[in-house]
Amino acid sequence: MVQGKKRENRFARIERVRAEKRAKTAAKFKEKLERRKLEKKNPELKKKRQAENVPMTIDNTRAYDPSMVTIPSGLHPKSAIPAEFAARSQISQDSNAANSSEPSGSKVTRDQAPGAVPEGFMDPEHAADIANDPFAAYFDPDSERNPSEPPRVLITTSPFASAPTWAFCDELVGVFPGAEFFKRRKKSFRSNPPPLGTVAGWAVKRGYSSMIVVNEDHHKPNAMTIIHLPSGPTAYFKLTSVELTKDIYGHARASPHYPELVLNNFVTRLGHAVGRMFQTLFPPMPEFEGRQVVTLHNQRDFLFFRRHRYMFKSTEKTALQEIGPRFTLKLRSLKTGLPSNNPLGAPMKPLELAKDDEELQFAKIVDGDDERKDTGKVKGDEEDAESDMKPPKEERKTEKKDARKGAEFAWAWNPRMDFKKRNFFL
């Protein structure tokens, strides 16, 4: 024991720790008051402090994806995405300069600082994909389609749906201006209900440009399939957190005006494809006098659907009043065509004649079977012949795998994709 130092009992130690905590809290509070006084005199100090003290979240520290078309908003200052975009823009600028007709000694002046991303930059490959995607005809300014007319959308359900799903479809009819709802009841079918590809073919013949199918499970809507007609693509979403208009407190009443569409935080090539698919469901020319806006906000690959109305309190202040409905979508797959492998009206594949080598191999097998029957050796020979006709085991595995996955899938969700929490695909 050290001489001259008293031993503290348990209560004295507790009191000493409490006193230290109180002193530390008082010092922090005093520092906060002094900082508040300085920031009140100079607001630039507060802006500087907020810019430096940015918390790191899963959203603002997302991983870089080569398929990103634009830079996500609200990134952390330490994020590597802006640097990757700057490198991509520099490579594209160097390639354009090399392909241009300027002399080798000329200098190219740039307004932006070195390492910065030019405004409106887009990768040439992504720009070409967007210009030639299935929705390019809808956004073509030279098309003969009237921009004031809403696109025709057919809304239906899975066979033998229940009343809650019908109520949700009625809400969707009010959201999309050119939508029509068709109930797939038991009385609608003489036998088994037709597959989804056949229904899509009927919708194409009747002039619909899109089709929405709402699935249900345990008498509740749980999935949504959006099909762009006449040739796809087809997007399948999981549907959660459904709230109808009557369940929202203080909701507004919808008007028949065309709403304005706001797509937020769709930054990848896949996200742009999904966003353009939703754009084809609304008329390109909204009616702003209705003050209605439909928002589709993407956050961590969850699409939050909301519909509001602007409330202008003055020339400077405005507010939002929710109309409804509200729901959340999660993309599960994206097909390049219609749901059916053989859509209605598609031409049949021509017959393919067997090659000479295949004919000789088949003739040898048949001749061998005849010889074995003549000699009386038939036991087990049929299995040998079948094994000769079957493809190798590895080829059969790949065929089963391709049939299960489907070659028409442009993107499909896999549980392994959620292994890294900072990887997002939209």
Side-chain angles (χ1 to χ4, degrees):
M1 182 176 177
V2 181
Q3 297 293 335
K5 186 176 181 180
K6 296 181 180 180
R7 174 183 287 181
E8 295 179 347
N9 58 15
R10 176 172 175 270
F11 297 101
R13 291 196 301 270
I14 291 175
E15 188 62 29
R16 177 172 56 83
V17 171
R18 288 177 179 175
E20 291 176 356
K21 286 186 177 181
R22 285 194 296 267
K24 190 175 181 179
T25 304
K28 283 185 177 181
F29 184 70
K30 184 178 180 181
E31 182 182 357
K32 184 178 180 180
L33 291 178
E34 292 177 355
R35 184 173 64 246
R36 186 179 297 177
K37 290 180 182 179
L38 295 175
E39 291 176 351
K40 190 175 182 180
K41 295 179 181 179
N42 188 4
E44 296 296 331
L45 294 177
K46 183 177 182 179
K47 294 181 180 179
K48 182 180 178 181
R49 177 176 60 84
Q50 291 178 348
E52 293 176 352
N53 300 335
V54 179
M56 298 182 69
T57 62
I58 295 178
D59 294 332
N60 60 17
T61 57
R62 63 180 296 176
Y64 172 74
D65 190 352
S67 66
M68 284 183 176
V69 180
T70 56
I71 299 178
S73 59
L75 290 176
H76 195 269
K78 296 182 179 180
S79 177
I81 294 179
E84 296 287 348
F85 263 84
R88 280 170 52 182
S89 63
Q90 186 66 32
I91 292 172
S92 63
Q93 287 176 3
D94 295 342
S95 62
N96 293 336
N99 297 331
S100 62
S101 59
E102 295 180 357
S104 58
S106 61
K107 295 182 180 180
V108 180
T109 59
R110 298 184 179 92
D111 297 334
Q112 69 271 12
V117 182
E119 186 177 358
F121 167 74
M122 182 178 291
D123 193 275
E125 184 178 354
H126 296 327
D129 291 342
I130 292 175
N132 299 319
D133 65 356
F135 315 108
Y138 179 84
F139 298 97
D140 187 9
D142 300 332
S143 63
E144 299 178 356
R145 185 177 53 83
N146 188 2
S148 61
E149 293 182 359
R152 296 189 62 191
V153 181
L154 176 63
I155 299 177
T156 184
T157 62
S158 55
F160 319 133
S162 58
T165 306
W166 292 346
F168 177 68
C169 291
D170 289 334
E171 296 273 352
L172 294 181
V173 171
V175 171
F176 306 109
E180 299 178 17
F181 178 38
F182 172 70
K183 294 183 179 180
R184 302 177 71 184
R185 299 178 178 176
K186 292 184 179 180
K187 298 180 181 180
S188 304
F189 315 110
R190 295 180 179 177
S191 59
N192 295 331
L196 203 56
T198 306
V199 179
W202 293 343
V204 171
K205 289 183 178 180
R206 286 159 178 79
Y208 291 98
S209 61
S210 299
M211 188 172 75
I212 299 176
V213 183
V214 181
N215 294 69
E216 71 167 19
D217 185 26
H218 292 81
H219 303 287
K220 291 182 181 180
N222 72 323
M224 181 186 294
T225 304
I226 301 178
I227 308 169
H228 182 71
L229 302 177
S231 58
T234 302
Y236 177 75
F237 299 89
K238 292 297 291 182
L239 180 63
T240 56
S241 305
V242 178
E243 290 189 32
L244 303 182
T245 301
K246 63 180 182 180
D247 301 330
I248 300 174
Y249 178 77
H251 66 86
R253 290 186 179 182
S255 62
H257 296 89
Y258 299 163
E260 179 186 359
L261 179 62
V262 176
L263 300 174
N264 187 21
N265 206 21
F266 292 88
V267 297
T268 63
R269 182 65 191 91
L270 179 63
H272 275 237
V274 174
R276 286 165 71 86
M277 174 178 282
F278 277 98
Q279 280 183 288
T280 58
L281 302 176
F282 293 89
M285 294 293 292
E287 297 176 352
F288 295 102
E289 59 270 17
R291 299 180 287 115
Q292 293 185 140
V293 56
V294 173
T295 306
L296 207 65
H297 174 70
N298 173 35
Q299 185 173 359
R300 302 185 192 179
D301 289 347
F302 287 93
L303 309 183
F304 299 94
F305 182 92
R306 299 292 185 271
R307 182 168 61 151
H308 297 87
R309 172 177 285 119
Y310 293 113
M311 298 174 60
F312 296 101
K313 298 182 178 180
S314 65
T315 57
E316 297 179 355
K317 293 183 179 181
T318 184
L320 292 175
Q321 185 182 14
E322 189 170 359
I323 300 175
R326 61 170 69 164
F327 53 88
T328 305
L329 299 174
K330 175 79 170 179
L331 182 65
R332 289 306 190 197
S333 66
L334 182 67
K335 282 187 177 182
T336 55
L338 296 180
S340 178
N341 292 332
N342 294 321
L344 190 66
M348 297 294 294
K349 292 183 178 180
L351 294 175
E352 296 181 358
L353 299 177
K355 297 180 181 179
D356 297 337
D357 299 338
E358 296 176 356
E359 290 181 355
L360 291 173
Q361 185 179 3
F362 182 75
K364 288 179 181 179
I365 295 171
V366 174
D367 295 340
D369 291 342
D370 295 338
E371 291 177 359
R372 289 168 189 170
K373 288 180 182 179
D374 295 338
T375 56
K377 297 179 180 179
V378 185
K379 188 177 180 180
D381 291 346
E382 294 181 0
E383 297 179 358
D384 297 338
E386 289 180 0
S387 63
D388 294 338
M389 291 290 291
K390 286 182 180 179
K393 190 174 181 180
E394 296 181 357
E395 294 184 5
R396 293 202 303 271
K397 283 185 178 180
T398 55
E399 288 177 1
K400 289 182 180 179
K401 199 172 182 180
D402 294 340
R404 185 173 64 252
K405 287 185 176 180
E408 70 275 6
F409 280 97
W411 184 87
W413 176 82
N414 193 313
R416 297 179 180 177
M417 294 180 177
D418 294 341
F419 179 72
K420 294 182 178 180
K421 295 183 179 180
R422 303 185 190 278
N423 286 347
F424 306 115
F425 305 97
L426 298 182

